[in-house]
Amino acid sequence: MGVLPGADEAPGSQKTERTSMLDGTEKINNRNIANVAPLRNVKLLGALIQQLQHREPDMPGMGCFHGFSGYGKSSAATYNAQVYDACWVEVKSVWSRKVFVRKVAEALGLTPAGLISDMVDQIGEELAKSGRPLLLDEAHQLCRDEMMGVVHDIYVSSHGSAMVLIGEEMLPQKLKRWERIHNRMLGWPAAQPADLRETAILARLKQPALKIGEDVLQVILEKSAANYRRIVTNLNQMKLHSLETGRDEITMADVPKIEFFVGEAPTPRRTGA
Amino acid sequence: MSGTAKTGRLPVDQATGRQELWLAIKSIPSEITVTAIVEQTGVNRTTVLRYLRALTAGEYLTATPGKPGRPNTWVLVNDVGHHAPRVRADGSPVTQGSITTQLWRAMTMLKEFDWVDLVHHASIEIPESTAKDYCKRLFAAGFLRLVVKADPSSARPARYRLIRATGPRAPQVQRVRQVYDPNTRTAHAVAGGTQ
């Protein structure tokens, strides 16, 4: 690090250390953030889709993106569907095989008609020719023998188009039961909890008018248990506080006055006496 | 189609468009001629020829000049599936409509949203006024339900929920006061519309 050209390295060295400690917060704050693209989970899903689309010919073409509720999986799916023009289907628990294939065909803009087998061929042809990836959200609802058969059929009749199953944290474990599906997985990325960098991005996205110090962001991150959905809720609490006080700068002095959502169920009250 | 010439163009739900031409092209992939497409679709020869030339420029088709006295033929080389490629005359892709496509896709996937969410989940830059206006028009046409009313005093935009998710294609706000839904091929009147 010492041999880098540039004489003004010496006063900045302390700063570089601080920046690395903050995991890129400084860099992010200097840039204008227009959308959710810089969030880590959005990038993870994007990387998976890219990996599937540009894989070697004999590699499997399915992926599994999983994580806890509130980790921004749907947000990641939405942004990546826009970028890769993906076909997105949210599976419901009550769907039969026929409803499932019909919904996939409709999401592709086809006119579903005929038997399940006809529609599977129709879907496979469209996926193969258009090269669009297929995202199946809430895929843990598909963990039934007959549904997994249909997923496998669509994959085979599309000649191995990119297909991503998105679901809850236990999805990979559940998928183990179906070897044919399990063997065709190229990657199993897990949605990651938020860190300070992500909290700063969310603050810039959701509350661009507020100036929130790094120490306060750290408090938000801890109170929210690194859960994206709760961070957004707590950032909204910051905004309400700022409207009450009339100041758009939030410092550590404000923290005790802000009611944080910590997501704990209330403890039982004592009754009697 | 009937032969009687009429001025103006047909309403969008009655017109025969490039989608029909594309499906006709796909049905005869190796020996495409203008006459064959016209026979299948009943579309004007010039319209067909213009689309064939645009597809050739976009490298979806390759053209073979006909021998003297024989018509020119085309061969389909890049079949991209059911949907007709949207190409300009020079073969470059059409970008018109991509903003509403992204807004609509974000609406169907997020289900409950305000205009800020829609802009954050788009991969292209969308002007604030466009996002707000699209929400307003779809709300007036009955596609959205208001969940939380806008409150300027606390800087809160209106939150909507999509209640008529009809399919993947974005509804089009038309110049006449209606919103046309290409998924169901129906037009919805915009309630209480003052321009």
Side-chain angles (χ1 to χ4, degrees), chain B residues 87-107:
Chain B
V87 284
R88 299 198 188 102
D90 63 354
S92 57
V94 176
T95 50
Q96 194 269 330
S98 56
I99 286 187
T100 46
T101 304
Q102 293 227 342
L103 289 173
W104 176 250
R105 180 154 25 200
M107 282 179 181

Side-chain angles (χ1 to χ4, degrees), chain A residues 126-140:
Chain A
E126 178 67 14
L127 286 175
K129 285 185 174 165
S130 66
R132 294 171 67 186
L134 177 63
L135 307 181
L136 298 174
D137 208 344
E138 308 287 338
H140 42 268

Side-chain angles (χ1 to χ4, degrees), chain B residues 17-104:
Chain B
R18 288 188 160 184
Q19 180 63 36
E20 284 73 19
L21 296 183
W22 174 250
L23 294 179
I25 289 168
K26 271 168 67 86
S27 68
I28 33 172
S30 56
E31 190 107 341
I32 304 160
T33 58
V34 176
T35 311
I37 306 293
V38 170
E39 273 170 11
Q40 273 201 34
T41 58
V43 175
N44 189 302
R45 289 190 75 87
T46 322
T47 315
V48 174
L49 185 60
R50 200 177 289 142
Y51 190 43
L52 288 177
R53 284 201 178 132
L55 286 174
T56 313
E59 294 174 354
Y60 295 96
L61 307 177
T62 50
T64 326
K67 293 201 180 77
R70 304 292 308 155
N72 294 345
T73 55
W74 283 265
V75 180
L76 181 61
V77 286
N78 183 13
D79 186 355
V80 290
H82 175 77
H83 297 284
R86 299 179 66 217
V87 284
R88 299 198 188 102
D90 63 354
S92 57
V94 176
T95 50
Q96 194 269 330
S98 56
I99 286 187
T100 46
T101 304
Q102 293 227 342
L103 289 173
W104 176 250

Side-chain angles (χ1 to χ4, degrees), chain A residues 28-224:
Chain A
I28 286 295
N29 279 344
N30 291 337
R31 227 178 2 183
N32 198 20
I33 299 168
N35 51 28
V36 294
L39 290 174
R40 192 197 285 150
N41 288 337
V42 177
K43 285 184 183 171
L44 272 174
L45 182 58
L48 176 65
I49 295 173
Q50 241 172 21
Q51 203 185 348
L52 292 172
Q53 282 188 331
H54 303 290
R55 66 184 197 270
E56 298 292 318
D58 50 350
M59 297 293 272
M62 280 196 187
C64 170
F65 185 60
H66 58 103
F68 293 106
S69 158
Y71 271 22
K73 296 190 298 291
S74 296
S75 189
T78 309
Y79 181 78
N80 284 300
Q82 309 271 32
V83 175
Y84 298 99
D85 190 24
C87 167
W88 172 84
V89 181
E90 190 177 38
V91 183
K92 298 220 168 73
S93 64
V94 289
W95 283 5
S96 64
R97 293 192 307 160
K98 181 146 192 172
V99 175
F100 173 59
V101 288
R102 210 186 67 217
K103 294 281 183 185
V104 175
E106 279 172 2
L108 281 164
L110 307 172
T111 317
L115 305 168
I116 298 180
S117 53
D118 298 336
M119 285 192 266
V120 167
D121 290 342
Q122 209 183 358
I123 293 165
E125 188 190 332
E126 178 67 14
L127 286 175
K129 285 185 174 165
S130 66
R132 294 171 67 186
L134 177 63
L135 307 181
L136 298 174
D137 208 344
E138 308 287 338
H140 42 268
Q141 312 280 18
L142 288 171
C143 290
R144 298 180 338 232
D145 279 338
E146 74 272 21
M147 293 298 242
M148 276 300 158
V150 179
V151 172
H152 181 255
D153 288 347
I154 290 178
Y155 176 76
V156 170
S157 61
S158 72
H159 308 288
S161 283
M163 191 188 274
V164 181
L165 306 183
I166 304 172
E168 60 184 25
E169 183 64 16
M170 291 305 286
L171 182 59
Q173 295 301 317
K174 284 187 178 171
L175 287 175
K176 264 181 161 173
R177 272 181 56 197
W178 294 276
E179 211 187 340
R180 282 186 309 175
I181 299 288
H182 198 264
N183 282 343
R184 283 182 172 77
M185 290 288 172
L186 186 66
W188 305 85
Q192 299 296 320
D195 62 14
L196 197 53
R197 174 185 165 275
E198 318 261 310
T199 316
I201 296 172
L202 284 174
R204 295 273 301 206
L205 268 182
K206 297 284 177 185
Q207 307 298 344
L210 290 189
K211 283 194 206 75
I212 305 174
E214 281 141 22
D215 39 6
V216 182
L217 287 177
Q218 182 68 45
V219 175
I220 297 177
L221 179 62
E222 281 164 15
K223 294 266 189 192
S224 313

